[in-house]
Amino acid sequence: MKKKLYKSTVEKKISGVCGGIAEYFEIDVTIVRLAWVLFTVLGGSGIIAYIIAALVMPEYKGE
């Protein structure tokens, strides 16, 4: 079965992007959130990337 990337409906703080990435890669959501904050602080484009991901990633509707 092919895995797909969805926004999380369970691990959701803002829109579920980090939770969806964590579920896809089967890692802890805290690691993804910390990496995203680090990416934002160091690169500055993390906020724009998050907004784009929130708009592009579909919501999980169930199987």
Side-chain angles (χ1 to χ4, degrees), residues 13-44:
K13 293 291 182 189
I14 297 174
S15 70
V17 172
C18 291
I21 293 171
E23 289 173 7
Y24 183 81
F25 289 110
E26 297 176 357
I27 58 176
D28 187 28
V29 69
T30 305
I31 295 170
V32 176
R33 288 182 181 137
L34 289 173
W36 208 290
V37 168
L38 187 65
F39 179 63
T40 301
V41 170
L42 295 179

Side-chain angles (χ1 to χ4, degrees), residues 7-9 11-19 50 53-55 59:
K7 288 189 275 187
S8 177
T9 56
E11 290 291 338
K12 190 173 189 173
K13 293 291 182 189
I14 297 174
S15 70
V17 172
C18 291
Y50 191 92
L55 294 173
E59 285 272 337

